[in-house]
Amino acid sequence: MSEPQTQSFQAEVRQLLDIVIHSLYTDKEIFVRELISNASDSLEKLRLKQLTENSVFEADLPLEISITTDEEAKTITFSDHGIGMNRQELSDNLGTIARSGSKEFLEALKEKGDANASVIGQFGVGFYSAFMAADKVEVFTHSWDEETEHLKWESDGQSGYTVSDAEGEKRGCRIVVHLKEDCADFAKEATIKGIIERYSRFVSFPLNLNGELVNTVEAIWLKNKKEISDEEYKEFYQYCAHAVDEPRHTLHFSADAPIDINALLYSPAENTERFGFGQMKSGVSLYCRKVLIDAEPQGLLPEWLRFLRGVVDSEDLPLNISRESMQDSALIQKLNRLLTKRFIKHLTTEAKKDPKKHEEFFEVFGRFLKEGIATSFDHHESLAGLLRFETSMTEAGEKTSLEDYLTRAKEEQDSIYYLVGLDRAAMESGAYLEAFQKRGIEVIFFTDGIDDYIMETLREYKGKALVSADRAEIEMDDLPEEESKLNEEESKELVDWLGETLKDKVESVEIGKRLVSHPVVALTPKDAPSGQMRAMMESMGQNAPELKARLEFNPGHELVEKLNELRSSNATVAEMVAHQLADNALLAAGMVKNPASVVAGMNDLMGSLMK
Ligand code: ADP
Ligand code: MG
């Protein structure tokens, strides 16, 4: 017998409790679901222990969950004969924050001050949610390991908890929730029955309420698709993802070759990473014939599919596979490949069936698909086919795909052209587009900084090169007779003079064919990283190689014509104007390292004009 030990909660737990108790869910009933799911997790772990350990304390206790309500005492009790906890585990699991979802949630709170309640719902706060409804919680437990003590953990959810000796506990946990006055409703059998019906239909163990069996145990993922309703699919998603939203995609499939597999995968409604929360954590559990092998299997899915939720069951899996050896196992790699392929295929089919739905999905989860392109070569073409964007030929707000782009491309066109910019308006008014528009060639508008990198990674789609429209090497065929203000000789002289004047600033100067309304444009030389790409490299602390642009002047533009005249009347100002024109073009192209220097030049120019 040892003295009761009182310990303080870890600071983060206190913070979490404070939120849970005071502000969090309006749906207090969520705690019932959390405690049932903990009991179920614990029974899953026990089931696996029985397969891998020789001796388990009280081995023949039934694997089931019991809930009892007591209206008079205002308590609700959750009992399971799962793995239980020893002294160390009690304070590790119920004194600190072990659960990653809660950790992420707290980090997000620290950053943002407050958080969107619907997003909070997706994190779930686990065991501590009991304090939403309770002013005291007692946990009586004995671990699966015979050698350990019978223990009682107790707390009012304020500052800390006390662990003391208990007597004659059976294996597992018995959690007594002492309800607050205003939550006494949860001590009513009918209330709890309603909650169980809503949330806990998919618990994989028998669930008794005041001695009466209230669920039927079935592994929905092993059932025939035809026997499962949409509503059941949704409920299972909410059950296994601890979620309250509706899944966007539901993919249920089975195969025998090359591996035996039954999988039920979901994509959720929201991508919490979009709100600045930490990385999402994969929520696909691995089973072997209904026995949970690992709730967070390493390597089962590629990193970019971390938003998926659901279950994968394979009979080929050895039951005693260790977490460490798992990631490298050939079988896990096979499963990984198969699941990735099937999910991409599902997205592709769904996108064809319901383009609007895919657009909305892409809006929220597009970043993950791009990450998939950036991190693996395996599915470049199919992932590229799922990208959505506006182009110079779509209305603002209307999205299209690479596939559709190709159906509109000109017969002789062997490239797909794109621009990356801040927004549509900026690209429409920029100098690069007009040459393409004049020739009736469609240009994609990308607005995500990462798109540049994604295009350079992809390089091509269905045999057509993906080419940034600001590239110097793009050959422009002649447009029908454009009025040029300078004759050939004048143009040649002007170019020579400009080349000399600007030789420290740019690689070369040319008279070009692509411009209509702009006087000059800066082009990225062949093989050099683009402006946005360079900006990205620099923001990541890499030194981008020095970039010298090629300038293309428009001989038909009035400014250029005037500049040519100015050369003979006022050479000094003409040079300043030439520099300013070049700077403006470089600035528009994102090729100026120090924009302040451009301003200085502009001020000098104005100064000399006002002399
Ligand atoms: P999570 O279930 O996501 O890990 P919780 O806050 O719900 O987070 O639970 C914290 C931990 O407490 C669990 O990981 C588990 O180790 C332990 N635990 C909670 N309930 C039980 C139980 N009924 N039996 C055994 N361990 C439990
Ligand atoms: Mg839990």
Side-chain angles (χ1 to χ4, degrees), residues 40-109:
S40 168
D41 291 349
S42 162
L43 289 166
E44 294 274 15
K45 288 177 197 156
L46 196 272
R47 188 148 69 176
L48 193 58
K49 274 270 178 297
Q50 282 182 321
L51 293 165
T52 54
E53 298 280 335
N54 292 329
S55 78
V56 163
F57 181 51
E58 299 181 323
D60 28 335
L61 284 175
L63 298 191
E64 51 185 49
I65 302 167
S66 299
I67 300 176
T68 49
T69 53
D70 185 335
E71 278 189 65
E72 218 149 283
K74 297 199 197 67
T75 59
I76 168 168
T77 303
F78 300 79
S79 313
D80 66 74
H81 297 306
I83 51 166
M85 282 176 272
N86 61 30
R87 195 176 279 275
Q88 185 62 42
E89 286 163 343
L90 267 180
S91 52
D92 285 350
N93 298 335
L94 307 183
T96 67
I97 292 196
R99 193 186 160 87
S100 62
S102 317
K103 252 189 223 155
E104 277 169 29
F105 168 61
L106 278 177
E107 273 162 23
L109 272 189

Side-chain angles (χ1 to χ4, degrees), residues 529-590:
S530 64
Q532 288 86 359
M533 184 72 179
R534 298 164 55 77
M536 199 164 104
M537 286 164 82
E538 266 160 28
S539 75
M540 295 191 307
Q542 294 175 16
N543 262 336
E546 214 206 331
L547 174 71
K548 285 211 161 170
R550 208 181 85 180
L551 290 187
E552 230 177 80
F553 277 82
N554 174 5
H557 198 280
E558 217 183 338
L559 260 182
V560 178
E561 192 198 2
K562 289 263 162 62
L563 175 62
N564 194 41
E565 289 164 14
L566 193 62
R567 281 200 298 137
S568 30
S569 60
N570 188 343
T572 324
V573 176
E575 273 182 31
M576 287 173 129
V577 170
H579 274 283
Q580 197 58 46
L581 280 174
D583 282 347
N584 290 353
L586 293 171
L587 201 59

Side-chain angles (χ1 to χ4, degrees), residues 136-151:
K136 182 166 93 173
V137 177
E138 295 166 305
V139 179
F140 299 89
T141 183
H142 191 289
S143 153
W144 64 274
D145 180 356
E146 176 132 36
E147 307 298 308
T148 59
E149 312 148 272
H150 299 256
L151 296 167

Side-chain angles (χ1 to χ4, degrees), residues 34-35 37-38 41 99 126-127 242:
E34 292 293 338
L35 296 188
S37 100
N38 281 352
D41 291 349
R99 193 186 160 87
F127 172 80
H242 290 248

Side-chain angles (χ1 to χ4, degrees), residues 434-533:
E434 52 192 24
F436 293 87
Q437 244 163 351
K438 272 265 159 180
R439 292 165 177 83
I441 298 173
E442 184 169 13
V443 175
I444 297 172
F445 295 145
F446 283 126
T447 49
D448 189 350
I450 196 181
D451 289 335
D452 214 338
Y453 178 72
I454 296 304
M455 289 304 114
E456 292 188 18
T457 310
L458 277 176
R459 303 202 95 92
E460 59 162 53
Y461 179 73
K462 303 225 163 141
K464 305 268 183 201
L466 291 156
V467 178
S468 173
D470 66 359
R471 288 278 160 180
E473 71 268 23
I474 301 174
E475 288 289 334
M476 291 282 164
D477 43 304
D478 289 330
L479 281 177
E481 285 304 291
E482 273 292 331
E483 186 74 20
S484 170
K485 297 222 160 59
L486 300 178
N487 66 33
E488 226 169 86
E489 200 176 321
E490 287 169 325
S491 298
K492 168 103 183 45
E493 277 178 32
L494 177 63
V495 162
D496 289 346
W497 177 79
L498 282 167
E500 188 53 31
T501 310
L502 300 172
K503 68 172 186 288
D504 293 335
K505 197 165 264 173
V506 298
E507 189 194 70
S508 62
V509 175
E510 273 155 52
I511 289 291
K513 291 181 194 159
R514 44 174 97 208
L515 294 172
V516 183
S517 65
H518 289 75
V520 56
V521 64
L523 301 171
T524 312
K526 197 167 192 291
D527 299 329
S530 64
Q532 288 86 359
M533 184 72 179

Side-chain angles (χ1 to χ4, degrees), residues 169-445:
E169 286 304 318
K170 293 217 180 306
R171 185 195 70 223
C173 273
R174 183 162 62 88
I175 300 178
V176 186
V177 176
H178 296 264
L179 296 161
K180 291 180 199 165
E181 207 61 53
D182 60 346
C183 296
D185 229 27
F186 292 114
K188 292 202 178 102
E189 182 176 301
T191 311
I192 297 301
K193 196 161 183 180
I195 299 173
I196 292 175
E197 266 163 20
R198 242 167 303 144
Y199 288 135
S200 307
R201 289 187 33 211
F202 302 99
V203 180
S204 17
F205 300 91
L207 195 58
N208 301 301
L209 176 60
N210 295 333
E212 189 196 333
L213 186 68
V214 288
N215 69 336
T216 43
V217 175
E218 57 181 14
I220 175 175
W221 62 92
L222 296 181
K223 280 174 63 173
N224 190 318
K225 268 178 166 177
K226 291 194 193 88
E227 294 163 21
I228 309 170
S229 69
D230 291 351
E231 189 60 22
E232 278 174 305
Y233 273 131
K234 184 186 98 180
E235 285 172 0
F236 182 67
Y237 161 74
Q238 295 183 333
Y239 169 72
C240 72
H242 290 248
V244 288
D245 56 343
E246 297 224 359
R248 283 177 189 272
H249 295 102
T250 301
L251 168 60
H252 186 189
F253 73 93
S254 57
D256 317 310
I259 349 172
D260 169 274
I261 184 174
N262 285 280
L264 179 46
L265 301 178
Y266 298 95
S267 72
E270 199 40 90
N271 161 11
T272 48
E273 291 184 19
R274 284 211 304 171
F275 298 97
F277 291 80
Q279 285 233 322
M280 289 179 93
K281 239 177 81 182
S282 171
V284 178
S285 314
L286 189 58
Y287 285 76
C288 170
R289 301 172 210 235
K290 295 197 250 181
V291 178
L292 181 69
I293 304 295
D294 196 336
E296 293 166 5
Q298 294 282 311
L300 180 65
L301 288 164
E303 187 81 2
W304 67 271
L305 282 174
R306 60 185 173 275
F307 59 95
L308 288 183
R309 306 282 173 261
V311 168
V312 170
D313 194 320
S314 175
E315 285 192 20
D316 296 339
L317 220 62
L319 279 173
N320 54 1
I321 188 167
S322 78
R323 294 208 67 183
E324 293 69 39
S325 65
M326 182 110 93
Q327 195 166 4
D328 307 318
S329 103
L331 180 73
I332 294 291
Q333 287 171 17
K334 261 195 218 162
L335 285 170
N336 179 314
R337 274 197 297 277
L338 179 70
L339 292 166
T340 310
K341 205 169 107 199
R342 288 299 290 255
F343 186 69
I344 295 177
K345 195 172 136 205
H346 182 70
L347 287 181
T348 309
T349 329
E350 292 288 298
K352 281 213 185 82
K353 244 197 278 171
D354 190 346
K356 197 85 217 129
K357 179 177 150 190
H358 178 67
E359 235 175 74
E360 286 164 13
F361 168 76
F362 188 78
E363 189 70 29
V364 179
F365 289 95
R367 261 295 169 114
F368 290 100
L369 304 185
K370 290 174 190 174
E371 196 182 314
I373 293 172
T375 53
S376 139
F377 289 103
D378 293 347
H379 307 283
H380 268 182
E381 191 152 295
S382 45
L383 284 175
L386 291 168
L387 300 176
R388 293 295 178 269
F389 39 76
E390 294 183 24
T391 77
S392 56
M393 289 192 183
T394 64
E395 298 292 321
E398 185 195 321
K399 300 271 168 75
T400 187
S401 64
L402 286 172
E403 196 63 51
D404 289 343
Y405 179 106
L406 289 181
T407 64
R408 291 185 291 262
K410 299 199 170 275
E411 219 167 283
E412 67 283 1
Q413 190 182 330
D414 52 12
S415 303
I416 297 172
Y417 298 103
Y418 65 89
L419 280 170
V420 184
L422 270 185
D423 56 25
R424 184 183 176 109
M427 288 180 272
E428 273 179 337
S429 61
Y432 301 110
L433 189 62
E434 52 192 24
F436 293 87
Q437 244 163 351
K438 272 265 159 180
R439 292 165 177 83
I441 298 173
E442 184 169 13
V443 175
I444 297 172
F445 295 145

